[in-house]
Amino acid sequence: MKALVVLLYAMGNVSFCSIARLLHVSDVAVLKWVRTEARKLPIPEVAGETVVVTLDKMWHFLKKNRQALGLACV
């Protein structure tokens, strides 16, 4: 049953609650089973260079509408 839980969750289309209802177990049990199996996996390695991009919606909004808002100096 635990293997089925992990398989269903790993497929990405089934939530903890859906799996629990399907197998008549608690969603907490499903969560614990998935976490236990995940801890056994090796830590994934990231190949290449990682670039982090942060977008600030408020900055974009103010920059775009600064004249309409009376914020010409922003």
Side-chain angles (χ1 to χ4, degrees):
M1 186 181 303
K2 291 178 183 180
L4 179 59
V5 165
V6 172
L7 179 65
L8 289 171
Y9 184 71
M11 290 174 56
N13 295 329
V14 188
S15 69
F16 289 139
C17 290
S18 296
I19 295 170
R21 272 186 255 125
L22 181 68
L23 300 176
H24 303 288
V25 295
S26 73
D27 53 342
V28 175
V30 172
L31 173 66
K32 287 181 180 180
W33 293 341
V34 170
R35 280 186 179 170
T36 300
E37 293 303 314
R39 287 185 184 113
K40 295 177 185 176
L41 297 172
I43 297 173
E45 295 182 22
V46 179
E49 196 173 306
T50 303
V51 178
V52 177
V53 178
T54 303
L55 299 176
D56 186 353
K57 293 178 185 177
M58 186 56 99
W59 177 85
H60 180 73
F61 175 78
L62 291 175
K63 180 95 170 150
K64 182 177 176 184
N65 298 308
R66 64 181 178 215
Q67 289 178 342
L69 296 171
L71 302 170
C73 297
V74 175

Coordinates of all heavy atoms in Angstrom, one line a residue:
M1 N 0.8 -1.2 0.0 CA 0.0 0.0 0.0 C 0.9 1.3 0.0 O 0.6 2.2 -0.7 CB -0.9 0.0 1.2 CG -1.9 1.2 1.1 SD -3.1 1.3 2.5 CE -3.9 -0.2 2.5
K2 N 2.0 1.2 0.8 CA 2.9 2.4 0.8 C 3.5 2.7 -0.5 O 3.6 3.8 -0.9 CB 4.0 2.2 1.9 CG 3.4 2.2 3.3 CD 4.5 1.9 4.3 CE 4.0 1.8 5.7 NZ 5.0 1.6 6.7
A3 N 3.9 1.6 -1.2 CA 4.4 1.8 -2.6 C 3.4 2.4 -3.5 O 3.8 3.3 -4.3 CB 4.9 0.4 -3.1
L4 N 2.2 2.0 -3.4 CA 1.1 2.6 -4.2 C 0.9 4.1 -3.9 O 0.8 4.9 -4.8 CB -0.2 1.8 -4.0 CG -1.4 2.3 -4.8 CD1 -1.1 2.3 -6.3 CD2 -2.6 1.5 -4.5
V5 N 1.0 4.4 -2.7 CA 0.8 5.8 -2.2 C 1.9 6.6 -2.9 O 1.7 7.7 -3.5 CB 0.9 5.9 -0.7 CG1 1.1 7.4 -0.3 CG2 -0.4 5.4 -0.1
V6 N 3.2 6.2 -2.8 CA 4.3 6.9 -3.3 C 4.2 7.0 -4.8 O 4.5 8.1 -5.4 CB 5.6 6.3 -2.9 CG1 6.8 6.9 -3.6 CG2 5.8 6.3 -1.4
L7 N 3.8 6.0 -5.5 CA 3.6 6.0 -6.9 C 2.6 7.0 -7.4 O 2.8 7.8 -8.3 CB 3.2 4.6 -7.4 CG 3.0 4.5 -8.9 CD1 4.3 4.7 -9.7 CD2 2.5 3.1 -9.3
L8 N 1.4 7.0 -6.7 CA 0.3 7.9 -7.0 C 0.8 9.4 -6.8 O 0.5 10.2 -7.6 CB -0.9 7.6 -6.2 CG -1.7 6.4 -6.6 CD1 -2.8 6.1 -5.6 CD2 -2.3 6.5 -8.0
Y9 N 1.5 9.6 -5.7 CA 1.9 11.0 -5.4 C 3.0 11.4 -6.4 O 3.0 12.6 -6.9 CB 2.4 11.1 -4.0 CG 2.8 12.5 -3.6 CD1 1.8 13.5 -3.5 CD2 4.1 12.9 -3.5 CE1 2.1 14.8 -3.2 CE2 4.4 14.2 -3.2 CZ 3.4 15.2 -3.1 OH 3.7 16.5 -2.8
A10 N 3.9 10.5 -6.7 CA 5.0 10.8 -7.6 C 4.5 11.1 -9.0 O 5.2 11.9 -9.7 CB 6.0 9.7 -7.6
M11 N 3.4 10.6 -9.4 CA 2.9 10.9 -10.7 C 2.5 12.3 -10.9 O 2.4 12.9 -12.0 CB 1.7 9.9 -11.0 CG 2.1 8.5 -11.2 SD 0.7 7.4 -11.4 CE -0.2 8.1 -12.7
G12 N 2.2 13.0 -9.7 CA 1.9 14.4 -9.7 C 0.5 14.8 -9.9 O 0.2 16.0 -9.9
N13 N -0.4 13.8 -10.1 CA -1.8 14.2 -10.4 C -2.7 13.9 -9.3 O -3.9 14.1 -9.4 CB -2.2 13.4 -11.7 CG -1.5 13.8 -12.9 OD1 -1.1 15.0 -13.0 ND2 -1.3 12.9 -13.8
V14 N -2.2 13.3 -8.2 CA -3.1 12.9 -7.1 C -2.6 13.6 -5.8 O -1.4 13.5 -5.4 CB -3.1 11.4 -6.9 CG1 -4.1 10.9 -5.9 CG2 -3.3 10.7 -8.3
S15 N -3.5 14.2 -5.1 CA -3.2 14.9 -3.8 C -3.1 13.9 -2.7 O -3.7 12.8 -2.8 CB -4.2 16.0 -3.5 OG -5.4 15.4 -3.2
F16 N -2.6 14.3 -1.5 CA -2.6 13.5 -0.3 C -4.0 13.1 0.1 O -4.3 12.0 0.4 CB -1.9 14.2 0.9 CG -0.4 14.4 0.7 CD1 0.2 15.6 1.1 CD2 0.4 13.4 0.3 CE1 1.6 15.7 1.0 CE2 1.8 13.5 0.2 CZ 2.3 14.7 0.5
C17 N -4.9 14.1 0.1 CA -6.3 13.8 0.5 C -7.0 12.8 -0.5 O -7.7 12.0 0.0 CB -7.1 15.1 0.6 SG -6.5 16.2 1.9
S18 N -6.7 13.0 -1.8 CA -7.3 12.1 -2.7 C -6.8 10.6 -2.5 O -7.6 9.7 -2.6 CB -7.1 12.5 -4.1 OG -7.7 13.8 -4.4
I19 N -5.5 10.5 -2.3 CA -4.9 9.2 -2.1 C -5.5 8.6 -0.8 O -5.9 7.4 -0.8 CB -3.4 9.3 -2.0 CG1 -2.8 9.7 -3.3 CG2 -2.8 7.9 -1.6 CD1 -1.3 10.1 -3.3
A20 N -5.6 9.4 0.2 CA -6.2 8.9 1.5 C -7.6 8.4 1.3 O -8.0 7.3 1.9 CB -6.1 10.0 2.6
R21 N -8.4 9.2 0.6 CA -9.8 8.7 0.4 C -9.9 7.5 -0.4 O -10.7 6.6 -0.1 CB -10.6 9.8 -0.3 CG -11.2 10.8 0.6 CD -12.1 11.8 -0.1 NE -11.3 13.1 -0.1 CZ -11.0 13.8 -1.2 NH1 -11.4 13.4 -2.4 NH2 -10.3 14.9 -1.1
L22 N -9.0 7.4 -1.4 CA -9.0 6.2 -2.3 C -8.6 4.9 -1.5 O -9.2 3.9 -1.8 CB -8.0 6.4 -3.4 CG -7.8 5.3 -4.5 CD1 -9.1 5.2 -5.3 CD2 -6.7 5.7 -5.4
L23 N -7.7 5.0 -0.6 CA -7.2 3.9 0.1 C -7.7 3.7 1.5 O -7.3 2.8 2.3 CB -5.6 3.9 0.2 CG -4.9 3.9 -1.2 CD1 -3.4 4.1 -1.0 CD2 -5.3 2.7 -2.0
H24 N -8.6 4.6 1.9 CA -9.3 4.5 3.2 C -8.3 4.6 4.4 O -8.3 3.8 5.3 CB -10.2 3.3 3.3 CG -11.2 3.2 2.3 ND1 -12.3 4.0 2.2 CD2 -11.3 2.4 1.2 CE1 -13.0 3.7 1.2 NE2 -12.4 2.7 0.5
V25 N -7.4 5.6 4.2 CA -6.4 5.9 5.3 C -6.4 7.4 5.5 O -7.0 8.1 4.8 CB -5.0 5.4 4.9 CG1 -4.9 3.9 4.8 CG2 -4.5 6.1 3.7
S26 N -5.8 7.8 6.6 CA -5.7 9.3 6.9 C -4.7 10.0 5.9 O -3.8 9.4 5.5 CB -5.4 9.5 8.3 OG -4.0 9.3 8.5
D27 N -5.0 11.2 5.7 CA -4.1 12.0 4.9 C -2.7 12.2 5.6 O -1.7 12.3 4.9 CB -4.7 13.4 4.5 CG -5.2 14.2 5.6 OD1 -5.4 13.6 6.7 OD2 -5.4 15.4 5.5
V28 N -2.7 12.2 6.9 CA -1.5 12.3 7.7 C -0.6 11.1 7.4 O 0.6 11.2 7.3 CB -1.8 12.5 9.2 CG1 -0.5 12.5 10.0 CG2 -2.5 13.8 9.4
A29 N -1.3 9.9 7.4 CA -0.5 8.7 7.1 C 0.1 8.7 5.7 O 1.3 8.4 5.5 CB -1.4 7.4 7.2
V30 N -0.6 9.2 4.7 CA -0.1 9.4 3.4 C 1.1 10.3 3.4 O 2.1 10.0 2.8 CB -1.2 9.9 2.4 CG1 -0.6 10.2 1.0 CG2 -2.3 8.8 2.3
L31 N 1.0 11.4 4.0 CA 2.1 12.4 4.1 C 3.3 11.8 4.8 O 4.4 11.9 4.2 CB 1.6 13.6 5.0 CG 2.7 14.6 5.3 CD1 3.2 15.3 4.1 CD2 2.2 15.6 6.3
K32 N 3.1 11.0 5.8 CA 4.3 10.4 6.5 C 4.9 9.3 5.6 O 6.2 9.2 5.6 CB 3.8 9.8 7.8 CG 3.5 10.8 8.9 CD 3.1 10.1 10.2 CE 2.8 11.2 11.3 NZ 2.4 10.6 12.5
W33 N 4.1 8.6 4.9 CA 4.7 7.5 4.0 C 5.5 8.2 2.9 O 6.6 7.7 2.6 CB 3.6 6.7 3.4 CG 2.9 5.8 4.5 CD1 3.4 5.5 5.7 CD2 1.6 5.2 4.3 NE1 2.4 4.7 6.3 CE2 1.3 4.5 5.5 CE3 0.7 5.2 3.3 CZ2 0.2 3.8 5.7 CZ3 -0.5 4.5 3.5 CH2 -0.7 3.8 4.7
V34 N 5.0 9.2 2.3 CA 5.7 9.9 1.2 C 7.0 10.6 1.8 O 8.1 10.4 1.2 CB 4.8 11.0 0.6 CG1 5.6 11.8 -0.4 CG2 3.7 10.3 -0.2
R35 N 6.9 11.2 2.9 CA 8.1 11.8 3.5 C 9.2 10.8 3.9 O 10.4 11.0 3.6 CB 7.8 12.6 4.8 CG 7.2 13.9 4.6 CD 7.0 14.6 5.9 NE 6.5 16.0 5.7 CZ 6.0 16.7 6.6 NH1 6.0 16.3 7.9 NH2 5.5 17.9 6.3
T36 N 8.8 9.6 4.4 CA 9.7 8.6 4.7 C 10.5 8.1 3.5 O 11.7 7.9 3.5 CB 9.0 7.4 5.4 OG1 8.4 7.8 6.6 CG2 9.9 6.2 5.7
E37 N 9.7 7.9 2.4 CA 10.4 7.5 1.2 C 11.3 8.5 0.6 O 12.3 8.3 0.0 CB 9.3 7.0 0.1 CG 8.6 5.7 0.6 CD 9.6 4.6 0.8 OE1 10.5 4.3 0.0 OE2 9.4 3.9 1.9
A38 N 10.8 9.8 0.7 CA 11.6 10.9 0.1 C 12.9 11.1 0.9 O 14.0 11.4 0.2 CB 10.8 12.2 0.2
R39 N 13.0 10.8 2.2 CA 14.2 10.9 2.9 C 15.3 9.8 2.5 O 16.4 10.0 2.6 CB 14.0 10.7 4.4 CG 13.3 11.9 5.0 CD 13.1 11.8 6.5 NE 12.4 12.9 7.1 CZ 11.2 12.8 7.6 NH1 10.6 11.6 7.7 NH2 10.6 13.9 8.0
K40 N 14.8 8.8 1.9 CA 15.7 7.7 1.4 C 16.4 8.1 0.1 O 17.4 7.5 -0.3 CB 14.9 6.4 1.2 CG 14.4 5.8 2.5 CD 13.6 4.6 2.2 CE 12.9 4.1 3.5 NZ 12.0 2.9 3.2
L41 N 15.8 9.1 -0.6 CA 16.4 9.4 -1.9 C 17.6 10.3 -1.8 O 17.7 11.1 -0.8 CB 15.3 10.2 -2.7 CG 14.1 9.5 -3.1 CD1 13.1 10.4 -3.7 CD2 14.4 8.3 -4.1
P42 N 18.6 10.2 -2.7 CA 19.7 11.1 -2.7 C 19.3 12.6 -3.0 O 18.4 12.8 -3.7 CB 20.6 10.6 -3.8 CG 19.7 9.9 -4.7 CD 18.6 9.3 -3.9
I43 N 20.1 13.5 -2.4 CA 19.9 14.9 -2.7 C 20.2 15.2 -4.2 O 21.3 14.8 -4.6 CB 20.7 15.8 -1.8 CG1 20.3 15.5 -0.3 CG2 20.6 17.3 -2.1 CD1 21.2 16.2 0.7
P44 N 19.3 15.8 -4.9 CA 19.5 16.1 -6.3 C 20.6 17.1 -6.5 O 20.8 18.0 -5.7 CB 18.2 16.6 -6.9 CG 17.4 17.0 -5.7 CD 18.0 16.2 -4.5
E45 N 21.5 16.9 -7.5 CA 22.5 17.8 -7.8 C 22.1 18.7 -9.0 O 21.5 18.2 -9.9 CB 23.8 17.0 -8.2 CG 24.4 16.2 -7.1 CD 25.7 15.5 -7.5 OE1 26.3 16.0 -8.4 OE2 26.0 14.5 -6.8
V46 N 22.4 20.0 -8.8 CA 22.1 20.9 -9.9 C 23.3 21.1 -10.8 O 24.3 21.5 -10.3 CB 21.6 22.3 -9.3 CG1 21.3 23.3 -10.4 CG2 20.4 22.1 -8.3
A47 N 23.1 20.8 -12.0 CA 24.2 20.9 -13.0 C 24.2 22.3 -13.6 O 23.1 22.9 -13.8 CB 24.1 19.9 -14.1
G48 N 25.4 22.9 -13.7 CA 25.5 24.2 -14.3 C 25.3 25.4 -13.3 O 25.3 25.2 -12.1
E49 N 25.1 26.5 -13.8 CA 25.0 27.7 -13.0 C 23.5 28.1 -12.7 O 22.7 27.9 -13.6 CB 25.6 28.9 -13.9 CG 25.9 30.1 -13.1 CD 26.6 31.1 -13.9 OE1 27.7 30.8 -14.5 OE2 26.1 32.3 -14.0
T50 N 23.2 28.5 -11.5 CA 21.9 28.8 -11.1 C 21.7 30.3 -11.0 O 22.6 31.0 -10.4 CB 21.5 28.2 -9.8 OG1 21.7 26.8 -9.9 CG2 20.1 28.4 -9.4
V51 N 20.7 30.8 -11.7 CA 20.5 32.3 -11.6 C 19.1 32.5 -10.9 O 18.1 31.9 -11.3 CB 20.4 32.9 -13.1 CG1 20.1 34.4 -13.0 CG2 21.8 32.6 -13.8
V52 N 19.1 33.4 -9.9 CA 17.9 33.7 -9.2 C 17.4 35.0 -9.7 O 18.1 36.0 -9.7 CB 18.1 33.7 -7.7 CG1 16.8 34.1 -7.0 CG2 18.6 32.4 -7.2
V53 N 16.1 35.1 -10.1 CA 15.5 36.3 -10.6 C 14.3 36.6 -9.7 O 13.5 35.7 -9.5 CB 15.0 36.2 -12.1 CG1 14.3 37.4 -12.5 CG2 16.2 35.8 -13.0
T54 N 14.3 37.8 -9.1 CA 13.2 38.2 -8.3 C 12.4 39.3 -9.0 O 13.0 40.3 -9.4 CB 13.7 38.7 -6.9 OG1 14.5 37.7 -6.3 CG2 12.6 39.1 -6.0
L55 N 11.1 39.2 -9.1 CA 10.3 40.2 -9.7 C 9.4 40.8 -8.7 O 8.8 40.1 -7.9 CB 9.4 39.6 -10.8 CG 10.1 38.9 -12.0 CD1 9.1 38.2 -12.9 CD2 11.0 39.9 -12.7
D56 N 9.4 42.1 -8.6 CA 8.6 42.8 -7.6 C 7.5 43.5 -8.4 O 7.6 44.5 -9.1 CB 9.5 43.9 -6.9 CG 8.8 44.6 -5.8 OD1 7.6 44.4 -5.6 OD2 9.5 45.3 -5.1
K57 N 6.3 43.0 -8.1 CA 5.1 43.5 -8.8 C 4.8 45.0 -8.5 O 4.4 45.8 -9.3 CB 3.9 42.7 -8.5 CG 4.0 41.3 -9.1 CD 2.8 40.5 -8.7 CE 3.0 39.0 -9.2 NZ 1.8 38.2 -8.8
M58 N 5.0 45.3 -7.2 CA 4.7 46.7 -6.8 C 5.7 47.7 -7.4 O 5.2 48.7 -7.9 CB 4.9 46.8 -5.2 CG 4.5 48.2 -4.7 SD 2.8 48.6 -5.2 CE 1.9 48.2 -3.7
W59 N 7.0 47.3 -7.6 CA 7.9 48.2 -8.3 C 7.4 48.4 -9.7 O 7.4 49.5 -10.2 CB 9.3 47.6 -8.2 CG 10.3 48.4 -9.0 CD1 11.0 49.5 -8.5 CD2 10.7 48.3 -10.4 NE1 11.8 50.1 -9.5 CE2 11.6 49.3 -10.7 CE3 10.3 47.4 -11.4 CZ2 12.1 49.5 -11.9 CZ3 10.9 47.6 -12.6 CH2 11.8 48.6 -12.9
H60 N 7.1 47.3 -10.4 CA 6.6 47.4 -11.8 C 5.4 48.3 -11.9 O 5.3 49.2 -12.7 CB 6.3 46.0 -12.3 CG 5.8 46.1 -13.7 ND1 6.7 46.3 -14.8 CD2 4.6 45.9 -14.3 CE1 6.0 46.3 -15.9 NE2 4.7 46.0 -15.6
F61 N 4.4 48.2 -10.9 CA 3.2 49.0 -10.9 C 3.5 50.4 -10.7 O 3.0 51.3 -11.4 CB 2.2 48.5 -9.8 CG 1.0 49.3 -9.7 CD1 0.0 49.2 -10.6 CD2 0.9 50.2 -8.7 CE1 -1.2 49.9 -10.4 CE2 -0.2 51.0 -8.5 CZ -1.3 50.9 -9.4
L62 N 4.4 50.7 -9.7 CA 4.7 52.1 -9.5 C 5.5 52.8 -10.6 O 5.3 53.9 -10.9 CB 5.5 52.2 -8.1 CG 4.7 51.9 -6.9 CD1 5.6 51.9 -5.7 CD2 3.5 52.9 -6.7
K63 N 6.4 52.0 -11.1 CA 7.2 52.5 -12.3 C 6.3 52.9 -13.5 O 6.5 53.9 -14.1 CB 8.3 51.5 -12.6 CG 9.2 51.9 -13.8 CD 10.4 52.5 -13.2 CE 11.4 52.6 -14.4 NZ 12.3 53.7 -14.2
K64 N 5.4 52.0 -13.7 CA 4.5 52.1 -14.9 C 3.5 53.3 -14.7 O 3.2 54.0 -15.6 CB 3.7 50.8 -15.1 CG 2.8 50.8 -16.3 CD 2.2 49.5 -16.5 CE 1.2 49.5 -17.6 NZ 0.5 48.2 -17.7
N65 N 3.0 53.5 -13.4 CA 2.0 54.4 -13.2 C 2.4 55.6 -12.3 O 1.6 56.2 -11.6 CB 0.8 53.7 -12.5 CG 0.2 52.6 -13.3 OD1 -0.2 52.9 -14.5 ND2 0.1 51.4 -12.8
R66 N 3.7 55.9 -12.3 CA 4.2 57.0 -11.4 C 3.6 58.3 -11.7 O 3.3 59.1 -10.7 CB 5.7 57.0 -11.4 CG 6.3 57.4 -12.7 CD 7.8 57.4 -12.7 NE 8.3 57.8 -14.0 CZ 9.4 57.3 -14.5 NH1 10.1 56.4 -13.8 NH2 9.8 57.6 -15.7
Q67 N 3.4 58.7 -12.9 CA 2.8 60.0 -13.2 C 1.3 60.0 -12.8 O 0.9 61.0 -12.2 CB 2.9 60.3 -14.7 CG 4.3 60.6 -15.1 CD 4.5 60.9 -16.6 OE1 3.6 60.6 -17.4 NE2 5.6 61.5 -16.9
A68 N 0.6 58.9 -13.0 CA -0.8 58.9 -12.7 C -1.0 58.9 -11.1 O -2.0 59.4 -10.6 CB -1.4 57.6 -13.2
L69 N 0.0 58.4 -10.4 CA -0.1 58.4 -8.9 C 0.6 59.6 -8.3 O 0.5 59.8 -7.1 CB 0.6 57.1 -8.4 CG 0.0 55.8 -8.8 CD1 0.8 54.7 -8.4 CD2 -1.4 55.7 -8.2
G70 N 1.2 60.5 -9.1 CA 1.8 61.7 -8.6 C 3.2 61.3 -8.0 O 3.6 62.0 -7.0
L71 N 3.8 60.3 -8.4 CA 5.1 59.9 -7.9 C 6.2 60.0 -9.0 O 6.9 59.1 -9.3 CB 5.0 58.4 -7.5 CG 4.0 58.1 -6.4 CD1 3.9 56.6 -6.2 CD2 4.3 58.7 -5.1
A72 N 6.4 61.2 -9.5 CA 7.3 61.5 -10.6 C 8.8 61.2 -10.2 O 9.6 60.9 -11.0 CB 7.2 62.9 -11.0
C73 N 9.1 61.2 -8.9 CA 10.5 61.0 -8.5 C 10.8 59.5 -8.2 O 12.0 59.2 -7.8 CB 10.8 61.8 -7.2 SG 10.6 63.6 -7.5
V74 N 9.9 58.6 -8.3 CA 10.2 57.2 -8.0 C 11.0 56.6 -9.0 O 10.9 56.7 -10.2 CB 8.8 56.4 -7.8 CG1 9.1 54.9 -7.6 CG2 8.1 57.0 -6.6

